């Protein structure tokens, strides 16, 4: 059996085919018929089948820490919300939801909150992702409209990626860009990012600008275009307004001034500006590096201004393009998922829009004003203005800034409800009621990707335990609260209502309109093929590109220039906190790891929370590569593994956002992140927090590998997860146990059993190694040292796949290193095929002189392609020595 569905990760919206064989085993592959990915999947998508087991799942309602039935749990939620609304008003309750929800789930919870409870205190983790883009779109276009489509990437002559590590965060789209460049050698790629990321490996130019200076750069570009005569005067005069004020702010900025303010060379800035000016088809793609800023909206509009001035919008191969972070952040925006929106892209501050929605819903009320945005919402929870909150499918104790304050806020809240598919998350530990929701593969509905393409997520697994669809849980509570209008029998019925609202009294002045889908019956909904909105009577097959008619959604149908005055980050560095903390995603993990953390191969690439420093910053802080560092900000602290790299900009440190208390101790980076937000979008400044770095130097460093789950001792630094055929635990602590061997046996859970020990002890050097063998198989090993120099783990992980240890393997365990270099694959580079750095380096030394040649020998890079940049770097590093060897060989022959 095969079921076509959609990936639950980023906003690319890849089609997935889930296959079930005769034994019931599920496998996944890319859907070659889906226009977003044309059959390609990234490493995370390829590993989806490894994440659908029921381990750790929430399978029954939990009330005050004990199992309960659905009636008890739902009655309690409905009665407590009703009581609090009665006693304190509708704004005393809140809903914090997620871009992981399906559109149908999103629709009914917004209907409940804004149309029946009467509060707009409903916000979403998409606030952390795309809110600045939403606000920028609305200022420029009058609507939250993404103008272009993915095909534009293949038709462009210049692709500019700003604040986007697409190679890791949107790898399928990045591979599509590289393929387009290969087919069109005249196409250029420019990356604007303080870090030299994997995306730079395929670029023609990298601009490592000073953190936060994006608006300065694009103001400089706007001035350059105007001075050089590159404006499309006809477009500007006929289709836009406000150009004079925008140029008054930016018009005198020179290339030299731009370069100085951005910390770039004048030549590099001049080259970028000339490429942009002289290339007709330009797509500017931007993501979190632009959005996650206290001036993110201005940065978005600075980019859009340049496209408006040149008329490069609404035509093939050109336009500003927001790369969405979540699978349904766009769908959430369609249904009014943000606190300052109404459903169907209607305005909550517009009385006519409120009345329209109220009539359509036949609701007693519509919230009369915007609600509290995410950071404001948890501030209100902290000071008890909000007394009940329902959190759905998200983990704010890990993902929100100033995360320790968020945790304390939930502890103070009178009533906390969480709907989730996983039981034990950092957030769920603070909930009074846990409601079991369906997960990917079990739930049924729609999502919308970055190019406005609506796709179906279809169920191919049965509902486990007592888990229910989110929309069903919400409707059950709404009905218990006494509200009519929630008697839906299926997701299809909700979708029809959502589509009908989009066309209700819509005379073409609203961008979001899928009214042609409002008559789909259950069978047609089930068969719905991916389609881009608007979908109307005039455009029944969808709309690939917006603004082709030069009509925008402002009152006068003109696009708006916005005068942008660049502002510094809200919290500057200082003598006490001299470094800028930049947070973001890594290649093989997603959000807070509740799904990706279940896959052993996805943990193989980067296992521990790491902090990436420039060598000079590391030297000044007294840090060694692979040692531990304590990072501290005025808001919190964490501990991470040091990674020293010349690809990091001086004065900055990059830390991934994913780790949490399920996988690591002291690894929550958002505990450090400052809670400053953009005044318009409310999006937090996740890319610029002042921090200091100090060596974290415990007495003992330990790693443990075991066939069974490891008994983790209490300590500040630990990281755990499943890798290969074993569990892995990294530890660092001060107190030495009385006996390392007894301690090792206790952690491995084999104390008192018949075990053949392979042991090495060097008390003078403080180095100890213990490996337990039973029936010829390695059961576990413990390596101990006074510093981080514990050696490679990859060869040891490989030993757990052996049915019986060879004599060489036993000797290697005693020696603490493989007896032959070929036995250690090295750090995993290609997670799709488990290919390590040493294997790739060996292939290069043996004549594989290109990424394609490495792929032919090892398969590395031939599936999702996300590891190709790292392979390329290994090739580049090897070329000088290979040339030197070639010259030596030629000299010998001579």
């Amino acid at each position: 059996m095969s079921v076509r569905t959609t990936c639950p990760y980023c906003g690319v919206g890849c089609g997935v085919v889930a296959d079930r064989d005769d034994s019931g085993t599920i496998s996944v592959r890319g859907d070659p018929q889906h226009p977003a990915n044309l059959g390609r999947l990234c490493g995370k998508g390829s590993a989806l089948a490894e994440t659908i087991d029921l381990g750790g799942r929430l399978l029954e309602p939990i009330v005050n820490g004990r199992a309960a039935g659905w009636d008890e749990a739902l009655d309690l939620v409905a009665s407590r919300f009703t009581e609090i609304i009665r006693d304190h008003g509708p704004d005393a309750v809140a809903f914090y939801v997620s871009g992981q929800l399906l559109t149908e789930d999103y629709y009914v919870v917004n209907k409940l909150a804004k149309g029946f409870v009467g509060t707009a205190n409903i916000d979403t983790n998409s606030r952390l992702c795309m809110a600045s883009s939403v606000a920028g779109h609305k200022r420029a276009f009058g609507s939250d409209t993404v103008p272009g489509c993915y095909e534009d990437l293949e038709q462009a002559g210049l692709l500019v990626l700003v604040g986007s590590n697409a190679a890791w965060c949107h790898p399928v789209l990045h591979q599509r860009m590289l393929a387009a460049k290969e087919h069109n050698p005249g196409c250029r790629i420019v990356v604007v990012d303080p870090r030299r990321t994997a995306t730079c490996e395929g670029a023609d130019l990298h601009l490592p600008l000073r953190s936060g200076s994006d608006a300065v750069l694009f103001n400089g570009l706007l001035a350059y275009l105007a001075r050089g005569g590159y404006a499309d005067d006809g477009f500007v005069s006929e289709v836009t307004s406000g150009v004079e004020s925008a140029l008054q702010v930016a018009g005198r900025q020179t290339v030299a001034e731009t370069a100085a303010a951005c910390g770039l060379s004048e030549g590099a800035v001049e080259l970028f500006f000339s490429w942009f000016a002289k290339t007709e088809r330009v797509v500017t793609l931007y993501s979190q590096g632009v959005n996650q800023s206290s001036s993110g909206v201005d940065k978005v509009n600075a980019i859009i201004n340049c496209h408006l001035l040149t008329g490069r919008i609404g035509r093939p191969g050109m336009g500003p393009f927001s790369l969405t972070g979540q699978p349904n952040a766009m769908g959430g925006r369609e249904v009014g998922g943000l606190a300052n929106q109404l459903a169907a892209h209607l305005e909550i501050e517009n009385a006519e829009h409120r009345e329209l929605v109220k009539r359509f819903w036949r609701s007693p009320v519509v919230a009369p004003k915007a609600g509290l945005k995410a950071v404001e919402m948890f501030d209100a929870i902290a000071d008890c203005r909000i007394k009940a909150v329902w959190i759905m499918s998200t983990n704010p104790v890990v993902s929100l800034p100033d995360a320790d304050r968020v945790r304390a806020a939930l502890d103070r809240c009178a009533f906390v409800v969480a709907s989730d598919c996983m039981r034990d998350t950092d957030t769920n530990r603070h909930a009074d009621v846990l409601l079991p929701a369906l997960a990917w593969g079990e739930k049924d509905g729609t999502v919308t990707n970055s190019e406005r393409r609506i796709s179906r997520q279809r169920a191919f697994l049965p509902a486990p335990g007592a888990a229910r669809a989110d929309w069903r849980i919400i409707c059950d509570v709404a009905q218990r609260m006494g509200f009519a209008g929630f008697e839906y029998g299926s997701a299809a019925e909700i979708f029809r209502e959502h589509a009908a609202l989009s066309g209700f009294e819509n005379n073409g002045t609203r961008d979001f309109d899928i009214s042609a889908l409002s008559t789909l019956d259950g069978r047609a909904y089930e068969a719905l093929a991916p389609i881009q909105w608007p979908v109307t009577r005039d455009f029944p097959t969808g709309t690939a590109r917006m603004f082709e008619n030069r009509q925008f959604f402002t009152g006068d149908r003109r696009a708006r220039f916005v005068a942008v005055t660049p502002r510094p980050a809200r919290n500057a560095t200082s003598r006490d906190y001299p470094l800028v903390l930049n947070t973001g995603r890594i290649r093989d993990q997603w959000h807070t790891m509740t799904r990706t953390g279940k896959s052993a191969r996805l943990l193989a690439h980067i296992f521990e929370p790491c902090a990436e420093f420039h060598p000079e910053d590391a030297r000044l802080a007294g840090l060694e590569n692979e040692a531990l560092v304590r990072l501290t900000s005025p808001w919190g602290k964490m501990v991470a593994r040091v990674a020293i790299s010349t690809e990091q900009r001086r004065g900055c440190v990059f830390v991934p956002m994913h780790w949490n208390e399920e996988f690591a101790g002291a690894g929550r980076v958002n505990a450090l992140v400052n809670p400053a937000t953009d005044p318009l979008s409310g999006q937090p400044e996740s890319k610029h927090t002042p921090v200091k770095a100090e060596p974290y130097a415990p007495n003992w460093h330990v790693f443990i590998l075991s066939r069974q789950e490891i008994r983790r001792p209490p300590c500040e630094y630990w990281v755990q997860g499943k890798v290969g055929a074993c569990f892995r635990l990294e530890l660092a602590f001060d107190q030495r146990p009385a006996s390392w061997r007894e301690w090792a046996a206790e952690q491995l859970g084999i104390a008192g059993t018949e075990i053949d020990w392979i042991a090495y002890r060097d008390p003078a050097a403080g180095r100890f190694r213990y490996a337990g063998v039973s029936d010829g198989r390695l059961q576990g090993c413990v390596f101990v040292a006074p510093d981080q120099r514990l050696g490679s783990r990859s060869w040891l992980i490989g030993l757990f796949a052996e049915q019986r240890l060879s004599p060489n393997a036993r000797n290697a365990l005693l020696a603490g290193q493989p007896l032959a270099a070929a036995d250690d694959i090295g750090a995993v580079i290609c997670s799709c095929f488990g290919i390590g750095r040493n294997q790739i380096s060996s292939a290069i030394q043996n004549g594989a002189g290109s990424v394609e040649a490495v792929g032919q020998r090892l398969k590395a890079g031939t599936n999702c392609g996300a590891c190709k940049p790292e392979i390329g770097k290994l090739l580049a590093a090897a070329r000088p020595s290979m040339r030197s060897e070639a010259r030596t060989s030629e000299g010998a022959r001579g």
Side-chain angles (χ1 to χ4, degrees):
M1 179 190 75
S2 296
V3 174
R4 283 191 155 82
T5 184
T6 309
C7 181
Y9 292 124
C10 76
V12 175
C14 294
V16 176
V17 179
D19 298 308
R20 182 195 295 271
D21 66 18
D22 292 340
S23 69
T25 301
I26 299 293
S27 61
V28 300
R29 54 191 168 91
D31 184 352
Q33 297 181 22
H34 199 290
N37 59 316
L38 305 173
R40 185 183 288 276
L41 290 179
C42 73
K44 294 185 291 290
S46 297
L48 275 167
E50 300 165 27
T51 69
I52 58 177
D53 64 276
L54 299 183
R57 287 290 299 275
L58 177 63
L59 297 175
E60 59 187 347
I62 304 292
V63 173
N64 296 323
R66 60 172 178 81
W70 269 112
D71 285 340
E72 179 187 357
L74 295 170
D75 287 345
L76 178 61
V77 173
S79 64
R80 291 289 283 126
F81 267 68
T82 300
E83 291 165 7
I84 290 168
I85 293 165
R86 180 195 64 210
D87 295 342
H88 302 283
D91 287 338
V93 302
F95 302 81
Y96 187 63
V97 299
S98 167
Q100 301 289 300
L101 292 177
L102 303 183
T103 299
E104 294 76 5
D105 307 321
Y106 247 136
Y107 179 84
V108 293
V109 70
N110 272 277
K111 181 178 178 179
L112 170 61
K114 290 170 181 164
F116 289 81
V117 171
T119 182
N121 285 344
I122 174 167
D123 213 45
T124 165
N125 61 8
S126 299
R127 178 71 61 187
L128 318 181
C129 173
M130 301 312 298
S132 292
S133 188
V134 172
H137 286 162
K138 291 175 75 171
R139 286 208 295 184
F141 309 142
S143 59
D144 176 20
T145 309
V146 173
C149 56
Y150 294 162
E151 286 78 8
D152 288 331
L153 309 183
E154 292 152 345
Q155 299 177 49
L158 177 65
L159 298 170
V160 183
L161 291 105
V162 190
S164 167
N165 185 10
W168 279 19
C169 301
H170 299 94
V172 169
L173 269 192
H174 184 247
Q175 289 300 310
R176 195 163 172 172
M177 295 177 214
L178 294 182
K181 180 175 168 60
E182 186 175 344
H183 288 110
N184 175 17
C187 176
R188 297 188 179 102
I189 297 176
V190 176
V191 175
V192 181
D193 197 309
R195 300 167 60 218
R196 183 174 179 83
T197 66
T199 306
C200 297
E201 296 307 308
D204 299 279
L205 178 64
H206 172 218
L207 298 177
L209 79 176
R210 183 173 287 118
S211 176
S213 62
D214 311 74
V216 177
L217 179 68
F218 282 91
N219 266 7
L221 174 58
L222 188 72
Y224 181 95
L225 295 169
R227 281 197 308 271
Y230 296 105
D232 184 335
D233 294 329
F235 180 90
V236 171
S237 63
E238 295 169 15
V239 181
T240 74
S241 65
V243 67
E244 297 84 2
S245 58
L247 289 176
Q248 186 175 1
V249 172
R252 294 191 177 91
Q253 188 174 310
T254 67
V255 171
E257 290 168 342
T258 302
C262 295
L264 298 169
S265 73
E266 192 172 337
V269 173
E270 176 76 39
L271 183 62
F272 167 50
F273 285 3
S274 66
W275 283 356
F276 193 105
K278 296 172 183 176
T279 307
E280 174 68 7
R281 295 191 173 195
V282 181
V283 177
T284 305
L285 304 109
Y286 62 91
S287 194
Q288 312 305 1
V290 168
N291 294 320
Q292 291 178 332
S293 166
S294 58
S295 57
V297 181
D298 281 347
K299 293 176 183 180
V300 170
N301 285 114
I303 291 169
I304 293 174
N305 283 346
C306 296
H307 281 270
L308 292 179
L309 189 71
T310 52
R312 294 172 185 164
I313 191 169
R315 291 185 285 154
M318 60 185 74
F321 202 121
S322 163
L323 291 179
T324 311
Q326 292 197 82
N328 203 29
M330 181 77 77
R333 287 141 64 180
E334 294 163 9
V335 302
L338 296 168
N340 53 323
Q341 296 179 323
L342 279 179
H345 284 197
L346 292 161
E347 301 288 341
I348 199 166
E349 303 285 3
N350 185 315
E352 292 181 1
H353 287 188
R354 293 197 303 272
E355 179 60 27
L356 182 153
V357 172
K358 181 180 175 183
R359 282 189 287 108
F360 181 86
W361 279 344
R362 299 179 183 177
S363 62
V365 66
V366 167
K369 65 182 188 303
L372 297 174
K373 302 178 179 76
V375 173
E376 299 169 332
M377 179 183 291
F378 281 85
D379 286 344
I381 293 170
D383 62 25
C384 299
R385 282 176 287 148
I386 290 176
K387 303 178 186 305
V389 61
W390 187 348
I391 299 167
M392 300 180 188
S393 195
T394 188
N395 199 0
V397 171
V398 181
S399 58
L400 276 171
D402 198 6
D404 287 344
R405 176 173 165 80
V406 173
R407 179 164 57 189
L410 291 179
D411 283 338
R412 293 197 67 191
C413 190
F415 190 59
V416 178
V417 181
S419 301
D420 210 314
C421 60
M422 302 302 293
R423 174 162 180 166
D424 188 25
T425 72
D426 293 55
T427 298
N428 289 354
R429 293 173 199 140
H430 303 271
D432 300 289
V433 178
L434 294 176
L435 302 175
L438 297 179
W440 181 83
E442 302 155 3
K443 56 187 180 179
D444 185 76
T446 57
V447 293
T448 307
N449 74 355
S450 292
E451 61 168 353
R452 295 172 282 102
R453 190 178 297 279
I454 299 167
S455 298
R456 291 276 282 112
Q457 268 196 23
R458 297 180 175 91
F460 55 87
L461 295 170
R468 293 182 179 178
D470 285 286
W471 65 263
R472 169 53 61 203
I473 298 170
I474 297 159
C475 291
D476 286 343
V477 169
Q479 289 174 296
R480 280 170 164 80
M481 293 177 73
F483 299 131
F486 295 88
E487 300 80 17
Y488 305 106
S490 66
E493 190 176 345
I494 300 169
F495 182 84
R496 284 195 293 272
E497 181 176 307
H498 161 56
L501 175 56
S502 75
F504 186 60
E505 298 183 10
N506 188 347
N507 58 5
T509 58
R510 307 201 306 263
D511 65 331
F512 179 68
D513 187 345
I514 56 169
S515 54
L517 303 177
S518 63
T519 58
L520 296 181
D521 60 18
R523 181 175 297 179
Y525 176 79
E526 175 60 28
L528 180 65
I531 191 168
Q532 290 172 279
W533 63 258
V535 189
T536 64
R537 182 172 57 185
D538 294 333
F539 299 97
T541 60
T543 309
R545 194 172 291 106
M546 300 292 285
F547 309 136
E548 288 182 312
N549 62 355
R550 296 188 169 198
Q551 295 286 297
F552 295 85
F553 294 95
T554 56
D556 59 8
R557 308 309 293 267
R558 288 173 172 263
R560 303 275 193 263
F561 282 88
V562 176
V564 173
T565 302
R567 292 179 283 116
R570 194 77 59 81
N571 293 288
T573 55
S574 64
R575 179 177 296 180
D576 291 335
Y577 300 100
L579 298 171
V580 172
L581 171 65
N582 170 19
T583 67
R585 295 174 179 168
I586 57 173
R587 192 188 75 190
D588 289 353
Q589 294 303 328
W590 172 253
H591 281 200
T592 62
M593 300 171 65
T594 47
R595 180 182 290 113
T596 50
K598 300 178 81 171
S599 168
R601 66 163 144 153
L602 295 181
L603 281 170
H605 182 234
I606 297 176
F607 183 77
E608 296 177 84
C610 55
E612 186 178 290
F613 292 86
H614 186 275
E616 184 61 16
D617 292 323
R619 184 189 68 78
L620 292 172
L623 302 175
E624 295 182 16
N625 198 43
E626 298 188 357
L628 294 174
V629 59
R630 186 188 297 282
L631 291 170
T632 307
S633 79
W635 298 272
K637 60 185 180 180
M638 71 170 298
V639 178
R641 188 72 65 183
V642 175
I644 297 176
S645 172
T646 56
E647 298 180 341
Q648 180 61 263
R649 184 182 173 90
R650 280 285 308 274
C652 297
V653 54
F654 174 79
V655 179
M657 58 163 280
H658 310 287
W659 276 268
N660 55 77
E661 292 181 354
E662 184 180 354
F663 294 94
R668 290 162 54 246
V669 69
N670 278 310
L672 285 72
V673 172
N674 74 94
T677 60
D678 184 288
L680 295 176
S681 70
Q683 184 154 359
E685 186 147 59
S686 299
K687 302 294 186 182
H688 197 289
T689 295
V691 298
K692 64 180 177 181
E694 302 166 299
Y696 177 70
N699 292 332
W700 300 103
H701 296 251
V702 179
F703 75 78
I704 303 173
L705 302 174
S706 176
R707 223 170 262 286
Q708 59 187 11
E709 290 198 52
I710 304 165
R711 300 177 182 180
R712 174 171 52 82
C715 59
E716 182 175 15
Y717 184 80
W718 57 268
V719 184
Q720 66 184 11
K722 183 82 182 294
V723 288
C726 65
F727 292 91
R728 176 178 170 184
L729 175 63
E730 301 282 335
L731 299 164
F733 50 85
D734 289 322
Q735 187 66 41
R736 173 177 175 163
S739 165
W740 279 114
R741 176 169 166 171
E742 291 179 9
W743 184 87
E746 182 181 351
Q747 307 316 309
L748 294 172
I750 55 178
T753 61
E754 290 294 325
I755 287 291
D756 175 17
W757 285 101
I758 300 171
Y760 170 87
R761 295 179 292 275
D762 185 351
R767 297 187 178 276
F768 304 86
R769 295 191 290 273
Y770 299 93
V773 180
S774 175
D775 295 328
R777 300 179 78 202
L778 180 62
Q779 298 301 314
C781 59
V782 177
F783 281 41
V784 181
D787 54 39
Q788 75 273 16
R789 298 174 182 85
L790 285 163
S792 170
R793 282 71 157 165
S794 56
W795 68 276
L796 286 163
I797 292 168
L799 294 181
F800 284 87
E802 297 186 8
Q803 294 302 309
R804 178 169 291 275
L805 290 178
S806 67
N808 279 350
R810 287 174 175 268
N811 290 335
L813 285 166
L814 187 63
Q817 61 184 19
L819 301 185
D823 293 336
D824 185 7
I825 69 169
V828 170
I829 300 296
C830 174
S831 60
C832 292
F833 296 108
I835 306 300
R837 178 185 301 273
N838 295 347
Q839 293 171 293
I840 295 170
S841 295
S842 176
I844 293 169
Q845 290 299 322
N846 286 293
S850 67
V851 172
E852 291 72 24
V854 170
Q856 289 171 2
R857 292 197 184 190
L858 301 174
K859 289 190 174 181
T862 62
N863 183 39
C864 74
C867 64
K868 285 183 175 181
E870 290 168 273
I871 298 172
K873 284 195 284 188
L874 291 174
L875 280 160
R879 280 176 187 133
S881 63
M882 292 170 71
R883 286 195 294 268
S884 176
E885 290 172 8
R887 286 194 297 270
T888 301
S889 176
E890 289 167 5
R893 286 197 299 271

